[in-house]
Amino acid sequence: MKMATYLNFPGNCKEALQYYEKHLGAKTIMTMTFDQVPDPENVPPGMEKGILHARIMIGDTPLMASDGPKVEPMRSAYLSLSVDSSAEAERIYKALSEGGQVFMPMAETFFAHRFGQLRDQFGINWMVIHEKPMGPA
């Protein structure tokens, strides 16, 4: 069994994926717009150039995404980025929080050199962490 994350955007999926490419080093593997489907007469009005399906890679992790007509942010789930340095954590946190909403400012915690939580400008919740070494479970 495999589990994957699928993000829905309110019409700005392409913009979000380009932002993640620029600031996270994501790589877009494929995109398909609504007007590329075999029977485009069933495409919701105004969604023709919207993303029907996309697949990107952030590091070694695949992520799928699309546009939807009635998308609302979800507060209970986060994408968590674990990085190898405090400088990288700070850089990514700054980029993702630009135009977004900070839930927890980037700071040192008992479990991390740097840790912060936010919702980005596209409505996606993120945790960014540079972990401290912890003992065995």
Side-chain angles (χ1 to χ4, degrees):
M1 180 183 308
K2 292 183 180 181
M3 187 171 81
T5 302
Y6 205 108
L7 301 177
N8 291 294
F9 294 87
N12 57 359
C13 182
K14 182 177 180 179
E15 181 184 351
L17 299 183
Q18 290 171 340
Y19 194 86
Y20 301 152
E21 285 179 338
K22 179 178 178 181
H23 295 286
L24 302 179
K27 180 171 179 63
T28 299
I29 305 303
M30 66 80 59
T31 60
M32 174 184 262
T33 56
F34 281 93
D35 64 358
Q36 293 175 311
V37 299
D39 38 339
E41 63 274 356
N42 294 324
V43 172
M47 295 293 292
E48 295 82 6
K49 295 299 178 187
I51 301 295
L52 172 67
H53 180 71
R55 178 184 277 282
I56 68 170
M57 295 294 291
I58 298 178
D60 295 331
T61 305
L63 185 69
M64 295 179 285
S66 67
D67 283 313
K70 296 181 180 180
V71 175
E72 295 184 25
M74 188 167 96
R75 178 70 168 104
S76 64
Y78 289 79
L79 299 182
S80 182
L81 291 173
S82 182
V83 298
D84 294 331
S85 73
S86 293
E88 184 70 348
E90 292 283 354
R91 182 192 70 74
I92 289 172
Y93 184 86
K94 181 180 180 200
L96 290 175
S97 62
E98 191 174 293
Q101 179 183 2
V102 169
F103 299 135
M104 181 179 176
M106 181 63 72
E108 184 172 359
T109 68
F110 71 92
F111 58 86
H113 297 289
R114 307 305 290 156
F115 177 77
Q117 298 176 330
L118 62 107
R119 177 175 293 140
D120 72 15
Q121 62 185 303
F122 306 104
I124 305 302
N125 296 330
W126 296 88
M127 291 189 287
V128 181
I129 186 170
H130 174 216
E131 296 180 78
K132 289 181 178 175
M134 301 297 271

